[in-house]
Structures are given as C-alpha cells and as structure tokens.
C-alpha cells in the first residue's frame, strides 16, 4: 500500500518499498503450478506480485501448515521431528497424545525441522485447541483423564 496522499509516478501508486511497481515479469508455468502459487498468495492475503517482491527482498514467507492440530502435525511429520533427536521420541508421544503442552524451545525446534515459522506451529496448536473447545459444547461426550 502506498502512503496516503502519496503522489504516483507515471500513474503507478507509491508502494511500501518507496518505488513504483513498473517492472514487468513473465514466467511460464504449468496450470497446476500457477493455481498452487495463487492459492498460496491468497492464504497469505496478498497478490502474486507482492509475494514475489517479498521473496526477492529476502523476506521469508512460510507456507501455512495444513494440519488442524498438534496431534495431526506430529503424526504427519513424525520422522522429521524425531530426526537427529530434535525432540526425543518419548516427548513427541506425550505431545501427540495431549499429555503435555510444547515448550517454546520445542515449538522452535518443530519450526526448524519442518522449515516453517514458529507462528505457523503456534497456529496449528491453537486450531487444535479451538476444535476441542468447539465440540465440548455440542453434546459430545468427553472423558475426563
């Protein structure tokens, strides 16, 4: 977004980068690749042009994790998380089974192992908690520990 009241150059709005977006880029892709790239940009709530600008400037863009809970994340990525003992297997089992919550260090190690951000891991954990609380009030029977 340009600054409010910012003067445009050659009809181009001023950008956050302090220069107008006047350079064109063309790339040949498969239809599937184009669709996936567009979906990724939509998930990040930005245009393809802005996403490519950020990548070019070295701003890391983490793909949102498709998992809906910590249990699901650990099950899908067991080998990556346990590799090189980033998180011991016994601890992964405790986290997967809901016997404890991950520490900040474990969240950081998960993000490192999966090539994503700590925020993405925290979002997965929050989705799992929200899903659990949504079902509690809907007549589901929840066993106490």
């Amino acid at each position: 977004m340009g600054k409010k009241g910012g003067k445009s150059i050659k009809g181009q709005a001023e950008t956050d980068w302090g220069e107008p977006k006047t350079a064109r880029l063309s790339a040949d892709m498969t239809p599937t690749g184009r669709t996936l790239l567009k979906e990724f940009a939509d998930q990040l709530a930005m245009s393809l042009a802005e996403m490519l600008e950020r990548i070019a400037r070295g701003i890391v863009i983490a793909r949102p994790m498709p998992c809906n809970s910590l249990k699901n994340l650990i099950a899908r990525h067991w080998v990556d998380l346990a590799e090189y003992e980033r998180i011991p297997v016994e601890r992964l089992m405790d986290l997967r089974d809901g016997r404890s919550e991950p520490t900040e260090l474990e969240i950081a190690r998960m993000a490192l192992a999966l090539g994503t951000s700590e925020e993405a891991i925290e979002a997965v954990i929050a989705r799992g908690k929200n899903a659990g609380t949504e079902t509690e009030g809907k007549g589901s029977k929840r066993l106490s520990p």
Side-chain angles (χ1 to χ4, degrees):
M1 284 280 154
K3 295 175 187 165
K4 191 171 185 178
K7 195 167 188 171
S8 65
I9 301 170
K10 292 186 184 178
Q12 299 292 321
E14 187 178 325
T15 68
D16 289 337
W17 310 108
E19 57 186 317
K21 290 185 178 181
T22 56
R24 294 259 173 211
L25 175 69
S26 177
D28 293 329
M29 299 180 70
T30 65
T32 301
R34 167 79 165 77
T35 300
L36 292 171
L37 192 61
K38 179 70 174 121
E39 286 174 2
F40 185 22
D42 289 345
Q43 288 174 349
L44 298 170
M46 64 179 65
S47 67
L48 282 172
E50 184 61 22
M51 187 172 79
L52 293 172
E53 180 85 31
R54 289 177 185 215
I55 291 169
R57 291 177 181 271
I59 298 172
V60 177
I61 298 177
R63 180 177 288 280
M65 298 298 294
C67 303
N68 58 6
S69 68
L70 183 60
K71 179 178 182 173
N72 183 257
L73 177 119
I74 291 171
R76 281 185 172 195
H77 302 284
W78 182 269
V79 172
D80 295 325
L81 295 171
E83 193 175 61
Y84 306 117
E85 293 190 28
R86 287 191 174 127
I87 301 174
V89 172
E90 297 80 18
R91 182 68 181 145
L92 280 175
M93 289 189 296
D94 285 344
L95 294 170
R96 179 197 62 197
D97 297 339
R99 289 190 288 267
S100 64
E101 296 289 320
T103 64
E104 288 182 26
L105 179 60
E106 289 167 335
I107 290 171
R109 286 180 175 171
M110 286 180 197
L112 179 65
L114 301 179
T116 191
S117 67
E118 292 175 39
E119 291 80 14
I121 301 296
E122 289 167 348
V124 169
I125 294 167
R127 279 196 301 270
K129 287 180 182 178
N130 290 339
T133 57
E134 287 172 6
T135 58
E136 282 182 42
K138 295 184 178 178
S140 66
K141 294 182 180 176
R142 193 164 169 131
L143 300 175
S144 57

